[in-house]
Amino acid sequence: MSQRFAPGQAPVQSRYQTPPLAPGMRPYPPPGATFAVSFSPHFGVFPASNAPDCFPPQPRGFPLHPSTAQPVPGSTAAPGVPGVPGGPGPSLLQRAAQQPAFQSGLRGTGQGGAGGGASGAVSKRSNEARSGAKVEFVAAKKKKKLADKILPQKVRDLVPESQAYMDLLTFERKLDATIMRKRLDIQEALKRPMKQKRKLRIFISNTFYPSKEPSNEGEEGAVASWELRVEGRLLEDGKGDPNTKIKRKFSSFFKSLVIELDKELYGPDNHLVEWHRTHTTQETDGFQVKRPGDRNVRCTILLLLDYQPLQFKLDPRLARLLGVHTQTRPVIISALWQYIKTHKLQDAHEREYINCDKYLEQIFSCQRMKFAEIPQRLNPLLHPPDPIVINHFIESGAENKQTACYDIDVEVDDTLKNQMNSFLMSTASQQEIQGLDTKIHETVDTINQMKTNREFFLSFAKDPQMFIHRWIISQTRDLKLMTDVVGNPEEERRAEFYYQPWTHEAVSRYFFTKVNQKRAELEQALGIRNG
């Protein structure tokens, strides 16, 4: 156990072993020797004029402690001495962990010294604290927008009228939640097909061109012929979007069109006129067929609508059972499921099975089937939809154009879908709202800054002395955190700090280390090996 002694009081017994002398080395000073130490602005130290002559004067700025602290042979840790391992309070060794060697002076650390380990731990904790502060700052920056509009309670107490602003803020939150919920509903609605039924009016007209006899001037004559035109357009119901300027072409409503003429008149190879949609098809407003002939012609026009999404015609037995003739696959499966629930055909114990009644048994040819088998068993019962059949009579010899009109139901995209898309894609209102939010944030920040200034000056007015004292302490703590300073520089710059009992041992350890270092250098230079 090491002992403590007051400044100027020599220890009763030597605490260090005297190292062996090498040729040319001066003896280690006696235990009772004292030193007059002068400090440089960089905490460097050199012996004064009244120091023992066993150590030659060193130049200014010479570090008092080496970069590697070594324990003195034969010495033990002093639990009551600061600066020694086990001593209370931070030592200069611990506080100099982050300082350069040429500025360390009494500060310093080493890999082999206990003070170096303690200072390393302090430095590690300091780095962790700074990292944690950065993480908290980033998190606070991200969460700033969430609560930046709320006025502090002190401001609300000082200004009762601010409660109206808080009420508006609460209403704004409810409104934002409602708008967000509606936007989600619109997005879900857009995922489903939105169709509305419209009337498509089809105009079928034919014109007869009589034959012409050749004239005497050499002009060729013309045989009798007729021309058939199939055109159409959507009827305006008054509910359409007046801003819609793009009109759909007539051919865009159909997947295929077939005109079948009289086979007896035009033969088996020339009595069909077909048009089928392909990926490269260009839309048109109508179809035109021209053929020679002066006889009445019966023709059949077959129009196959282009259903989006695809629709299927049900088997007649299943169609009578479900009450559905032509529909999309999801609607057909939904109607079948509704029939199963209505007639309680789901198995009571094995819920994934369906017990077919006599009608389903006739249709699906099984008494029991799984839910997962329904789409597969429905495939043979789904057929392409029936085409629209129009019978038309072309009368030859008619001088005027003959026209017939037919109205059919078609499904077109709901105009509300375009409005929903424009609402979701619109950013003008969002930019305006963001601009207003930015102004609100800036105003609240200004109010918070004014509140902080008010509290600052009120605290100074109540107790100026205590306020200045606390403010200096706070600024010192912030300065230490910003500059990575370890320890208490305010105490270290005063002379009383170095008259503490541990300074004698610190100086002795330093000089003992320097002696060992010089001794090792001389031994290496003279080639003397230490046995």
Side-chain angles (χ1 to χ4, degrees):
M1 180 69 68
S2 61
Q3 56 185 354
R4 304 174 65 179
F5 50 89
Q9 179 182 354
V12 178
Q13 197 174 12
S14 175
R15 301 177 58 194
Y16 308 99
Q17 296 180 359
T18 304
L21 295 177
M25 293 188 64
R26 298 185 181 182
Y28 191 80
T34 58
F35 298 89
V37 182
S38 300
F39 294 91
S40 70
H42 294 291
F43 295 99
V45 62
F46 57 91
S49 59
N50 59 347
D53 59 356
C54 56
F55 291 98
Q58 303 290 339
R60 282 183 71 88
F62 187 84
L64 181 62
H65 199 281
S67 60
T68 303
Q70 301 177 358
V72 180
S75 64
T76 58
V81 181
V84 182
S91 66
L92 285 176
L93 302 177
Q94 298 171 347
R95 286 191 290 269
Q98 304 293 330
Q99 298 297 331
F102 68 88
Q103 290 185 352
S104 59
L106 284 176
R107 307 176 188 179
T109 183
Q111 298 176 355
S119 62
V122 173
S123 175
K124 183 178 181 180
R125 288 195 298 270
S126 177
N127 293 333
E128 291 177 354
R130 288 193 301 272
S131 300
K134 291 179 180 178
V135 172
E136 292 177 359
F137 174 75
V138 173
K141 187 176 181 180
K142 290 182 178 179
K143 296 180 180 178
K144 180 180 179 181
K145 295 298 183 182
L146 300 177
D148 197 27
K149 296 182 180 180
I150 301 177
L151 292 176
Q153 185 63 39
K154 292 184 179 180
V155 175
R156 283 180 271 172
D157 296 339
L158 290 173
V159 186
E161 293 82 0
S162 61
Q163 186 60 37
Y165 167 77
M166 298 303 297
D167 295 339
L168 287 175
L169 196 60
T170 304
F171 178 77
E172 182 190 17
R173 290 178 180 175
K174 294 181 180 179
L175 183 60
D176 289 342
T178 303
I179 294 176
M180 180 58 66
R181 186 170 62 252
K182 291 299 182 182
R183 290 178 69 92
L184 294 177
D185 293 341
I186 291 175
Q187 291 177 358
E188 290 297 325
L190 290 177
K191 294 178 181 179
R192 300 186 297 268
M194 300 179 61
K195 301 289 184 179
Q196 63 176 353
K197 286 190 175 183
R198 297 279 298 276
K199 290 291 184 180
L200 177 65
R201 177 158 294 179
I202 300 176
F203 301 93
I204 301 178
S205 61
N206 63 274
T207 305
F208 179 76
Y209 300 98
S211 61
K212 291 184 180 180
E213 295 295 334
S215 62
N216 297 329
E217 299 177 358
E219 295 183 358
E220 296 182 358
V223 299
S225 62
W226 52 265
E227 182 183 72
L228 177 69
R229 298 177 66 91
V230 181
E231 302 169 313
R233 60 178 175 82
L234 281 176
L235 295 181
E236 299 294 338
D237 55 359
K239 299 179 181 179
D241 188 2
N243 298 326
T244 304
K245 297 181 180 180
I246 301 177
K247 302 296 184 181
R248 287 187 61 176
K249 299 287 187 179
F250 175 72
S251 61
S252 64
F253 292 98
F254 303 99
K255 184 181 294 185
S256 64
L257 180 142
V258 178
I259 301 176
E260 183 179 357
L261 303 177
D262 194 342
K263 191 174 182 180
E264 296 179 357
L265 294 178
Y266 294 96
D269 299 331
N270 198 27
H271 75 291
L272 290 179
V273 179
E274 299 183 9
W275 172 86
H276 301 281
R277 175 184 300 280
T278 61
H279 296 290
T280 58
T281 299
Q282 294 184 357
E283 306 298 343
T284 179
D285 286 327
F287 302 93
Q288 178 180 341
V289 178
K290 190 172 184 178
R291 290 288 186 275
D294 55 355
R295 300 173 59 182
N296 296 338
V297 180
R298 294 183 180 274
C299 63
T300 303
I301 302 172
L302 305 177
L303 299 170
L304 182 60
L305 290 173
D306 185 16
Y307 293 104
Q308 295 294 338
L310 293 178
Q311 293 189 9
F312 302 91
K313 174 187 174 184
L314 272 70
D315 183 90
R317 297 172 298 173
L318 186 60
R320 287 194 300 268
L321 189 67
L322 302 181
V324 177
H325 184 268
T326 303
Q327 263 300 344
T328 60
R329 186 185 295 268
V331 174
I332 295 172
I333 294 178
S334 176
L336 180 59
W337 169 239
Q338 189 66 32
Y339 177 85
I340 293 171
K341 288 197 303 180
T342 303
H343 294 82
K344 299 179 181 179
L345 301 180
Q346 189 175 10
D347 195 288
H349 302 286
E350 296 179 345
R351 307 294 291 177
E352 68 273 14
Y353 281 94
I354 299 171
N355 298 322
C356 299
D357 57 6
K358 59 180 182 179
Y359 303 108
L360 291 181
E361 186 176 350
Q362 293 176 2
I363 295 172
F364 293 106
S365 301
C366 64
Q367 296 180 354
R368 199 175 186 220
M369 62 180 177
K370 286 185 176 181
F371 272 103
E373 299 175 357
I374 290 179
Q376 182 180 358
R377 292 183 178 275
L378 273 178
N379 286 333
L381 304 174
L382 301 180
H383 308 289
D386 294 332
I388 300 173
V389 180
I390 301 176
N391 295 315
H392 186 71
F393 183 76
I394 302 175
E395 184 179 356
S396 61
E399 298 180 358
N400 298 327
K401 181 179 180 180
Q402 298 179 350
T403 305
C405 299
Y406 303 90
D407 289 340
I408 61 174
D409 292 329
V410 294
E411 290 184 347
V412 297
D413 290 335
D414 195 344
T415 55
L416 186 61
K417 185 175 182 179
N418 296 330
Q419 298 177 7
M420 290 181 176
N421 281 324
S422 61
F423 171 75
L424 293 179
M425 300 300 294
S426 176
T427 58
S429 59
Q430 296 296 330
Q431 294 176 355
E432 183 180 359
I433 291 174
Q434 289 179 0
L436 295 176
D437 283 342
T438 302
K439 291 182 180 180
I440 294 176
H441 294 322
E442 293 175 354
T443 305
V444 174
D445 288 340
T446 304
I447 293 175
N448 291 331
Q449 185 64 33
M450 296 176 67
K451 177 185 75 70
T452 304
N453 295 343
R454 180 180 180 276
E455 293 176 352
F456 182 89
F457 291 115
L458 281 179
S459 179
F460 178 75
K462 291 180 181 177
D463 192 349
Q465 181 180 1
M466 183 58 65
F467 174 80
I468 294 296
H469 178 69
R470 292 177 179 175
W471 183 71
I472 291 177
I473 293 176
S474 174
Q475 294 297 312
T476 304
R477 183 170 59 251
D478 295 341
L479 182 62
K480 287 170 61 178
L481 182 62
M482 294 170 57
T483 57
D484 298 335
V485 175
V486 182
N488 194 347
E490 183 64 24
E491 295 181 3
E492 294 175 8
R493 72 184 185 88
R494 301 181 183 276
E496 292 82 0
F497 181 77
Y498 300 98
Y499 284 100
Q500 301 182 37
W502 58 267
T503 55
H504 292 277
E505 184 172 354
V507 173
S508 300
R509 279 176 177 264
Y510 170 73
F511 283 117
F512 180 75
T513 303
K514 295 301 292 183
V515 169
N516 286 339
Q517 181 181 355
K518 292 296 183 181
R519 177 184 174 184
E521 294 176 358
L522 289 174
E523 288 179 351
Q524 184 178 4
L526 298 176
I528 301 176
R529 295 184 178 180
N530 187 4

